[in-house]
Amino acid sequence: MSTLTNPVIRGFAPDPSMIRAGAWYYVATSSFEWFPTIPIHRSRDLVNWEFAGHVQHAVPGGSLSGVPDSGGIWAPALSWDGRRFFIVYAVVRSLQMSYFNLETYICTADDPAGEWSEPRRVAGHGFDPSLFHHEGRLWLLNLQNDHRPGGNRFDGIVLTELDHDTFRPIGETRMVFQRDMEHERFVEGPKLLHHDGWFYLLLAEGGTGYEHGVLVARSRRITGPYEADHRPLLTSRDDPSQPLQKAGHGELVRAPDGQWFLSHLASRPVQTARGPRCTLGRETAIQPVAWAADGWPRLKHGGWHPAVHVEVPDPPGDRDGAADPPPVHAADEELPGWPWSTLREPVDKTWSDTSARPGWIRLRGRHGPESLWGQSLLAQRITEHRSRVEVTVDAAPTTYTQAAGLVLWYNTEAYFTLDLTWTEPATERQNGQQWRNQGRTVLTLTTRDRHGTRIEATRQIPAGEPVTIGADIDGADARFWMRRNGSECPIGPVLDFSELSDEAGTRLRFTGAFAAIHAVDLVDGAFTADFTDFRLTASHASDD
């Protein structure tokens, strides 16, 4: 036996959909407004996970420009019919409106780490779709949304049979599970499995926050009616002291030796004066499951709270007769690859270049950090509560409309930037006439949160010299610094890093915090900045 530590995929890896194909487990997670779209990880032992690729063509047209923060690709569901891999997902175009403006797509592949087909749109009724393969037939599950005044946004779970080749509906759509919204928690994220003569419907219950959970319903017939269990399979809602909070959105998988495991999302909050806040977003966790005598699945360790440490079987030596999948595809040498991510569009050589200066990444400045369109930003997920990030930047800004530097990022309404930029001479007020004089090269620390945008500090530095800048994160605190003559000099005050969290905003937030580099040019998009020695490291992860 081996022991895994939850979360197994750490830092912004929500809505995990886990399957097993032969000797390998695969997990697909939501990507929302980020590229690469629909990251996929794989493992042979449930303990050690590696990035295996992503669904390259998930977004028709290749762009999510204009989608709101936490819009984009929600809750992909991965499946395998023994021959082909399938993934179904929704592209969400609006948020917190009565209408769910979205499209539902299916892609297929021979290998989930390889090339995926172009997306094919299917008739979907809401977000969180999933596919169920049974006795040669293909079924689509969806959330039903009633957008009309007085209607329920979470109106129940519907089931539609699809043609296996064309994905067109066969027969009528059926409502298979519905709850009284006045007295019960709403459900979403449906997943189906067949076990011991029963069809089991796994449901995400109670939203994505601290009330989240996994509910199970079952029926002898695929079309229902489904009877709900009297208790949750998984939740943390009744115990705020649990280290894994927001536990929910589950999927059951059977191991080669017959044991069962539940993949689910969870969060590790930090405690603040304003309550718990989840800066790392929602992450992927795994729990062992056993079947009770009455036929309901139960957590193997008892109760319904998620465990941090879980024993799992060692992988079989014969690997189920399955060959190893091909190695992960190498990234384009001229473009940064995983773990780098980009906002609303894939990384592109027109604004990101690794060939212009060996050992450096050159970014061409584009929109500012509040844009929903063309940002030149490369980011990596922050995976632990204690982290350090640093980078050396070389640029020559000549106007305040040009900037380049380090970003701690949640979304367009929550970020901190330490930028190499330009400002007026010390004797001159801010007057917007940068073309009249040479001004000063400075590092400017700017914060953006629910209280607005503020300049926290400005530090003049020599023009024309590379500068190493960084930030240290310790729970709810973040401090920026610059390195000069081998010493680190703090810049600005200690910042409230918990403002870059799921809970801190006035709107729904579904992603997580990133460390990033970016370049801005608001005039003509010609300004460039070079970056090298980017390092994002975590420490004391065992204490989290």
Side-chain angles (χ1 to χ4, degrees):
M1 300 290 285
S2 300
T3 300
L4 65 78
T5 299
N6 283 314
V8 292
I9 305 174
R10 303 167 83 85
F12 181 42
D15 308 320
S17 176
M18 184 170 76
I19 66 168
R20 181 177 66 86
W24 287 86
Y25 299 90
Y26 296 91
V27 165
T29 53
S30 294
S31 48
F32 293 92
E33 67 264 39
W34 289 93
F35 281 72
T37 47
I38 313 181
I40 296 173
H41 287 74
R42 68 186 181 192
S43 172
R44 282 197 64 239
D45 57 11
L46 296 174
V47 177
N48 303 290
W49 291 84
E50 66 177 2
F51 176 71
H54 72 285
V55 182
Q56 305 91 342
H57 312 295
V59 180
S63 174
L64 289 170
S65 292
V67 302
D69 293 329
S70 292
I73 295 179
W74 287 19
L78 192 58
S79 60
W80 184 52
D81 68 356
R83 184 174 59 92
R84 280 192 303 171
F85 293 89
F86 295 72
I87 199 153
V88 60
Y89 54 94
V91 178
V92 178
R93 307 286 182 177
S94 62
L95 204 61
Q96 289 185 277
M97 298 181 179
S98 57
Y99 289 85
F100 281 130
N101 298 303
L102 54 81
E103 309 96 45
T104 302
Y105 296 98
I106 294 176
C107 298
T108 61
D110 294 328
D111 168 32
E115 189 77 12
W116 286 83
S117 68
E118 293 290 334
R120 295 165 67 178
R121 186 172 180 181
V122 297
H125 292 262
F127 59 84
D128 286 7
S130 68
L131 294 173
F132 178 55
H133 308 266
H134 184 65
E135 296 181 343
R137 300 169 74 178
L138 180 63
W139 301 83
L140 172 69
L141 292 108
N142 248 164
L143 170 73
Q144 170 70 47
N145 168 51
D146 186 347
H147 66 270
R148 298 170 298 179
N152 291 324
R153 288 169 56 80
F154 298 81
D155 201 33
I157 305 302
V158 296
L159 178 72
T160 309
E161 186 175 5
L162 301 181
D163 181 274
H164 208 277
D165 296 314
T166 67
F167 303 143
R168 293 195 181 98
I170 299 174
E172 64 179 3
T173 294
R174 301 171 175 89
M175 180 76 73
V176 296
F177 190 83
Q178 200 169 25
R179 303 191 92 174
D180 180 354
M181 293 297 293
E182 291 186 9
H183 303 99
E184 299 176 291
R185 295 180 177 91
F186 62 80
V187 293
E188 54 190 321
K191 303 287 194 306
L192 259 179
L193 69 93
H194 187 252
H195 175 69
D196 200 20
W198 289 94
F199 292 94
Y200 288 89
L201 182 61
L202 271 73
L203 300 161
E205 183 185 41
T208 60
Y210 292 93
E211 290 294 306
H212 207 21
V214 176
L215 177 71
V216 181
R218 69 182 181 183
S219 172
R220 290 292 188 183
R221 300 174 58 226
I222 190 172
T223 55
Y226 283 81
E227 169 200 7
D229 197 355
H230 69 279
R231 46 155 282 186
L233 171 59
L234 176 83
T235 189
S236 307
R237 68 171 70 105
D238 61 328
D239 186 356
S241 69
Q242 289 292 317
L244 298 178
Q245 289 291 314
K246 301 184 179 181
H249 200 101
E251 188 160 10
L252 283 169
V253 173
R254 190 175 187 177
D257 67 353
Q259 296 189 57
W260 287 82
F261 292 90
L262 175 76
S263 65
H264 67 94
L265 65 80
S267 290
R268 294 174 287 157
V270 293
Q271 300 302 320
T272 75
R274 292 160 302 285
R277 288 184 167 181
C278 298
T279 55
L280 306 180
R282 298 170 299 153
E283 307 170 285
T284 293
I286 295 172
Q287 306 295 329
V289 167
W291 295 90
D294 60 4
W296 291 104
R298 298 285 183 255
L299 295 185
K300 195 172 184 178
H301 55 262
W304 46 75
H305 297 150
V308 173
H309 301 291
V310 170
E311 285 195 344
V312 296
D314 294 325
D318 62 5
R319 303 189 181 188
D320 267 11
D324 282 349
V328 176
H329 293 289
D332 187 325
E333 292 184 356
E334 295 186 6
L335 293 173
W338 186 268
W340 291 107
S341 292
T342 56
L343 278 170
R344 295 179 173 82
E345 62 181 357
V347 63
D348 188 279
K349 295 177 183 178
T350 64
W351 59 267
S352 174
D353 185 6
T354 60
S355 63
R357 186 176 179 184
W360 296 69
I361 299 174
R362 175 165 294 172
L363 297 184
R364 180 177 60 81
R366 296 187 297 162
H367 289 189
E370 295 172 13
S371 174
L372 300 179
W373 286 269
Q375 286 201 48
S376 296
L377 179 142
L378 289 172
Q380 293 187 15
R381 288 159 172 78
I382 297 173
T383 61
E384 303 297 340
H385 292 135
R386 297 177 181 88
S387 299
R388 160 169 281 215
V389 58
E390 64 179 85
V391 70
T392 298
V393 57
D394 189 6
T398 57
T399 163
Y400 62 85
T401 60
Q402 299 170 347
L406 182 65
V407 188
L408 297 182
W409 177 273
Y410 188 95
N411 64 17
T412 61
E413 296 181 344
Y415 58 84
F416 306 152
T417 62
L418 181 60
D419 278 336
L420 186 66
T421 187
W422 177 100
T423 194
E424 289 84 357
T427 58
E428 192 173 302
R429 64 180 178 84
Q430 181 177 317
N431 60 19
Q433 298 187 50
Q434 71 275 20
W435 53 85
R436 295 184 57 191
N437 51 58
Q438 293 185 349
R440 297 176 291 158
T441 299
V442 293
L443 285 171
T444 298
L445 177 62
T446 303
T447 59
R448 163 74 172 176
D449 56 29
R450 58 201 170 98
H451 304 296
T453 305
R454 301 172 302 281
I455 292 179
E456 303 285 355
T458 298
R459 175 79 61 89
Q460 184 170 347
I461 63 172
E465 296 182 10
V467 58
T468 299
I469 54 180
D472 290 322
I473 300 163
D474 186 357
D477 295 337
R479 178 181 287 278
F480 283 84
W481 48 265
M482 65 172 291
R483 184 174 293 132
R484 175 178 291 175
N485 299 323
S487 299
E488 293 174 5
C489 307
I491 296 181
V494 175
L495 302 176
D496 183 1
F497 186 64
S498 76
E499 288 292 321
L500 277 56
S501 68
D502 294 352
E503 296 84 0
T506 58
R507 308 182 193 183
L508 290 175
R509 292 180 172 185
F510 298 139
T511 55
F514 286 73
I517 56 176
H518 78 151
V520 175
D521 186 343
L522 302 176
V523 175
D524 61 4
F527 167 72
T528 62
D530 293 346
F531 299 84
T532 194
D533 294 333
F534 180 93
R535 296 184 181 90
L536 175 58
T537 56
S539 60
H540 306 295
S542 61
D543 296 337
D544 288 343

